[in-house]
Amino acid sequence: MALLNPYIAFDGTTAEAMDFYQSVFGGELTLNTYSEYGDTGPTGNLVMHSMLETRDGMILMASDVPPGTPHRQGDNVSICLSGDENTGLRAIWQALIDGGTVTQALETQPWGDDYGSCIDRFGIVWRVNINRNT
């Protein structure tokens, strides 16, 4: 089964925001910083990825925008599809990029999964994460 999750981009406040959402919804929060994946610069303490799995089974993901990436309040939500190789996500990726723009190619990332992002022909930002560790 593939999962459909909201993904929020923050401008340096992801850790604070996700702590707040955890206090609201409960559940388990994981945070990974850019430094955990090799960024030794001043932005290493920013959140590269976070995920809140609520006690009710909802999943909310968020990250700080990468350095140099514009952040516009209100345009900071994308949709993340995640699942394993058997969920058909590669075909979904191909359909989403048809007439759209690839912003990050779907390829293996430092955390071991295949990940890519795109903007579809209607201007919606999609993130696709295919777990290769199952």
Side-chain angles (χ1 to χ4, degrees):
M1 170 194 332
L3 301 175
L4 180 68
N5 306 108
Y7 203 109
I8 305 171
F10 293 96
D11 194 16
T13 60
T14 296
E16 179 183 352
M18 292 302 278
D19 283 341
F20 169 74
Y21 295 136
Q22 184 181 32
S23 76
V24 172
F25 298 111
E28 183 177 334
L29 175 61
T30 56
L31 292 164
N32 299 103
T33 63
Y34 283 97
S35 66
E36 292 176 60
Y37 293 94
D39 183 343
T40 58
T43 57
N45 64 331
L46 295 177
V47 175
M48 186 184 95
H49 177 72
S50 66
M51 182 168 63
L52 175 61
E53 296 181 68
T54 72
R55 58 181 165 251
D56 296 328
M58 294 184 299
I59 296 176
L60 176 64
M61 294 187 240
S63 64
D64 289 314
V65 293
T69 303
H71 180 267
R72 291 178 302 277
Q73 195 69 22
D75 292 342
N76 56 335
V77 177
S78 59
I79 301 170
C80 182
L81 299 169
S82 57
D84 63 29
E85 286 286 348
N86 300 317
T87 56
L89 287 176
R90 291 190 191 281
I92 291 170
W93 169 260
Q94 290 300 319
L96 288 170
I97 64 174
D98 182 27
T101 303
V102 173
T103 55
Q104 183 172 348
L106 182 64
E107 57 191 16
T108 304
Q109 300 299 316
W111 58 90
D113 295 348
D114 288 350
Y115 171 85
S117 62
C118 67
I119 302 170
D120 71 16
R121 68 179 81 174
F122 301 103
I124 303 299
V125 177
W126 293 87
R127 300 168 182 250
V128 174
N129 192 87
I130 302 171
N131 185 337
R132 297 181 58 176
N133 300 315
T134 57

